[in-house]
Amino acid sequence: MISLKKNLLGGLAVLAAFSAAPALAQGTLRIGMTASDVPLTTGQTDQGGEGMRFMGYTLYDALINWDLSSADKASSLVPGLATSWKVDAADPTRWVFTLRDGVKFHDGSDFKADAVVWNLEKLLNDKAPQFDPKQAAQGRSRIPAVASYKVIDDKTVEIKTKTPDAFLPYQISWIMMSSPAQWEKVGKDWNKFAQTPSGTGPWKLTAFQPQTRAELAPNKDYWDKARVPKLDKMVLLPIPETATRTAALRSGQVDWIEAPSPDAIPSLEKAGLKIVSNAYPHNWTWHLSFADGSLWKDIRVRKAANLAVDREGLKVLLKGMMIPAKGFLTPGSQWFGKPTFDVKFDPEAAKKLLAEAGYTPAKPITAKVLISSSGSGQMQPLAMNEYIQQNLADVGIKIEFEVAEWNTLINLWRAGAKSDLGKGASALNFSYFIQDPFTAFIRHLDSKLVAPNGTNWGLYQDPGMDALLEKARTTFEAKAQDEVLRQVHEKIVDDALFLFVTHDVAPRAMSPKVTGFVQAQNWFQDFSPITMK
């Protein structure tokens, strides 16, 4: 069994620190995050997708943002700091972005084209004075297509890609714009900038205490008047341990928690608290290693593991708060296709495949898997992984876990399956944002992006897959591109490239005082419409 002592003590310490704070006024929303620390505040956040949710798209904007206004339809890209973008018909590697007029950073300085180039330099040019290794570690892998960039005029930027890449807009949506003027003002020091950051987003950071809390206030001068926050204040509290988060909500010390324990949901609802959830493009998977010597290189072993997992039983464990996986994408995705391998619970078929691969009860498979104790999108990782561990043991696959804090696991993911930091692990439990073709497919499967060149953690390399990805990347017509992407997903499932487990429905528990929240079908959320009764 996995020890929870360290995480419980850490969560209690954070809660105790918060409990000592004075009572907060009406109009303040207090959120218990799953993160173990306040996400990096300088622009490119850490703490995974939760970091971007709470400290990225709050303080900052990208050139291209996500429409987070609807709970009923999948999110799409919308103009952010760029009002339009287009690829050059004569040169499909050249993109032109037209910037929004009249936007100011929180410090009062103007947002212009030179700020866009400055922000790309902070991530991609280690010779630039503003280069920040911390932000580069988070953002560089998000924009692998970018080859060069330049100012055309104050309101126009050119970005060129290494090869034609129809998915550049999705990549650019990850890049947050920090204020060059504020960086200069604080002595060109990113550590000082972190204390008084300046973006263009709908929220401003007003107080910051690492590992304890962050306080955000509305940016009343935000360029999108429809998204000026209605709250007086939003307080973010890192509480990684599920029971501690739940206790904080029950006692009224927070108004909202991410990822409540499924066991607690009935009693929370009985106590008058609200549970909000929605299907969204996300999966919870084991990413398998294809490094030399990995047992997962054998497709029979990969398929056996997939057939060994009782997803319906796991759904019972999670009190229904999941969608059983039939592949890497949700079954309703436009890119799901028609794979031939049926991902289902069939332990006898799993045992037969293992026997064909040469494994028997006398010669069992043993493997180490990297997992987290909590974290953004990780659902209930300790309980879920123990459940899968038993499922796999039942068919003859013995699993040992190496437990890491979420931010540490993210760094291990970026380091790749061959990294000594992984302590010999041949799989890693990770939750993935699968909203767009780049984040769903390319970053995991492109042979050019094997770690440390990108986030192809498993070092997967297949010429057939590379050809499909290249075809998708160079197909700019939407329907034709969708057809290629369906072929990509069919190959992912038929080759059992991952251990497909579940899709999250992102349950959140909150006080009935919280009103106006619309849970978008997206990893990110908009906090601007929220009010407190």
Side-chain angles (χ1 to χ4, degrees):
M1 298 293 288
I2 304 164
S3 172
L4 302 178
K5 182 177 180 182
K6 180 178 178 182
N7 292 299
L8 180 59
L9 291 176
L12 288 171
V14 170
L15 185 56
F18 179 64
S19 299
L24 296 168
Q26 185 74 296
T28 294
L29 173 65
R30 303 159 299 172
I31 297 179
M33 304 182 293
T34 69
S36 60
D37 197 356
V38 174
L40 190 64
T41 62
T42 46
Q44 296 307 130
T45 67
D46 58 3
Q47 300 292 338
E50 189 173 57
M52 287 290 288
R53 182 186 306 135
F54 288 118
M55 205 62 77
Y57 289 109
T58 46
L59 304 187
Y60 299 93
D61 288 301
L63 295 181
I64 302 172
N65 288 344
W66 287 98
D67 179 0
L68 304 174
S69 62
S70 174
D72 301 323
K73 62 181 181 180
S75 300
S76 58
L77 294 178
V78 293
L81 295 176
T83 56
S84 65
W85 54 93
K86 61 182 179 180
V87 67
D88 189 331
D91 178 3
T93 68
R94 180 177 181 267
W95 292 74
V96 176
F97 293 78
T98 301
L99 306 185
R100 190 175 296 278
D101 280 322
V103 176
K104 290 186 179 293
F105 287 103
H106 297 158
D107 58 89
S109 61
D110 293 326
F111 170 75
K112 295 182 179 180
D114 56 359
V116 177
V117 170
W118 187 91
N119 274 278
L120 291 169
E121 291 274 277
K122 82 180 179 185
L123 304 177
L124 299 177
N125 182 5
D126 59 8
K127 301 295 190 294
Q130 72 270 29
F131 178 76
D132 182 10
K134 288 183 180 179
Q135 291 189 77
Q138 308 301 326
R140 187 194 294 261
S141 65
R142 299 290 187 186
I143 47 173
V146 174
S148 65
Y149 31 84
K150 70 177 183 180
V151 172
I152 295 178
D153 57 43
D154 279 354
K155 296 302 175 187
T156 316
V157 173
E158 173 190 282
I159 297 178
K160 297 200 75 173
T161 57
K162 296 166 186 173
T163 60
D165 196 326
F167 304 134
L168 179 69
Y170 294 111
Q171 297 181 33
I172 291 299
S173 72
W174 286 93
I175 305 307
M176 303 291 100
M177 295 291 144
S178 310
S179 168
Q182 181 70 358
W183 182 76
E184 295 273 353
K185 182 179 178 181
V186 297
K188 303 180 179 180
D189 185 331
W190 282 112
N191 290 325
K192 292 180 180 177
F193 186 99
Q195 296 294 326
T196 55
S198 177
T200 64
W203 297 86
K204 296 180 178 181
L205 186 72
T206 56
F208 170 44
Q209 194 173 351
Q211 296 186 315
T212 304
R213 64 192 287 128
E215 297 183 9
L216 283 64
N219 174 12
K220 298 295 186 182
D221 299 319
Y222 187 52
W223 56 266
D224 184 351
K225 298 307 177 188
R227 289 191 60 226
V228 173
K230 293 180 170 59
L231 290 166
D232 297 319
K233 184 190 294 185
M234 184 162 66
V235 181
L236 305 175
L237 302 160
I239 311 176
E241 210 286 311
T242 307
T244 311
R245 283 198 306 279
T246 303
L249 180 64
R250 288 187 191 279
S251 64
Q253 292 169 315
V254 298
D255 310 295
W256 163 320
I257 60 172
E258 299 284 282
S261 168
D263 288 338
I265 286 175
S267 63
L268 289 172
E269 289 182 313
K270 189 175 181 180
L273 297 159
K274 297 191 295 185
I275 304 297
V276 181
S277 66
N278 201 355
Y280 74 120
H282 160 281
N283 66 33
W284 192 96
T285 185
W286 281 13
H287 198 144
L288 307 177
S289 170
F290 287 80
D292 290 343
S294 171
L295 65 99
W296 305 111
K297 292 189 77 171
D298 190 326
I299 190 172
R300 295 169 296 187
V301 175
R302 300 196 302 272
K303 286 188 172 182
N306 273 286
L307 294 171
V309 176
D310 180 5
R311 295 164 186 82
E312 291 299 327
L314 188 60
K315 187 173 184 178
V316 172
L317 176 72
L318 295 174
K319 301 297 187 286
M321 290 293 171
M322 64 169 270
I323 299 170
K326 298 294 287 183
F328 202 64
L329 300 178
T330 50
S333 168
Q334 71 269 36
W335 304 320
F336 192 89
K338 297 178 180 179
T340 58
F341 176 51
D342 186 9
V343 178
K344 61 183 179 180
F345 181 48
D346 190 342
E348 293 308 312
K351 292 175 184 177
K352 183 178 179 181
L353 283 167
L354 291 175
E356 290 175 6
Y359 297 100
T360 66
K363 184 192 173 186
I365 287 179
T366 58
K368 180 182 286 188
V369 180
L370 296 166
I371 70 171
S372 67
S373 52
S374 65
S376 169
Q378 289 294 86
M379 302 177 70
Q380 306 299 325
L382 300 178
M384 293 169 70
N385 277 302
E386 287 182 344
Y387 187 93
I388 295 169
Q389 183 183 45
Q390 184 58 56
N391 281 170
L392 296 179
D394 289 343
V395 301
I397 303 175
K398 296 184 177 180
I399 297 297
E400 173 191 351
F401 291 129
E402 183 74 28
V403 186
E405 183 270 329
W406 176 229
N407 226 32
T408 301
L409 189 70
I410 293 172
N411 291 332
L412 293 173
W413 170 63
R414 291 199 173 98
K418 280 187 178 178
S419 170
D420 292 339
L421 299 173
K423 300 181 181 179
S426 64
L428 168 144
N429 167 223
F430 220 86
S431 52
Y432 287 128
F433 179 91
I434 49 175
Q435 183 87 28
D436 65 78
F438 175 74
T439 53
F441 301 139
I442 292 174
R443 63 176 177 155
H444 305 307
L445 303 170
D446 191 329
S447 63
K448 295 189 292 295
L449 298 180
V450 296
N453 297 324
T455 53
N456 180 343
W457 177 85
L459 312 181
Y460 172 77
Q461 299 179 72
D462 181 286
M465 182 64 81
D466 282 344
L468 283 173
L469 295 178
E470 183 62 18
K471 186 176 181 181
R473 195 165 22 219
T474 55
T475 301
F476 288 79
E477 197 279 319
K479 288 186 177 179
Q481 186 185 89
D482 284 348
E483 178 54 38
V484 181
L485 293 171
R486 283 191 281 271
Q487 294 174 46
V488 170
H489 187 253
E490 287 167 356
K491 184 170 176 59
I492 289 172
V493 178
D494 290 342
D495 290 351
L497 299 184
F498 300 82
L499 177 58
F500 313 111
V501 181
T502 186
H503 303 284
D504 192 9
V505 294
R508 296 175 165 95
M510 58 190 70
S511 163
K513 294 180 179 180
V514 179
T515 62
F517 174 57
V518 175
Q519 183 152 321
Q521 294 183 26
N522 197 296
W523 198 297
F524 312 123
Q525 299 296 326
D526 185 8
F527 303 98
S528 295
I530 297 172
T531 58
M532 298 290 289
K533 288 182 181 178

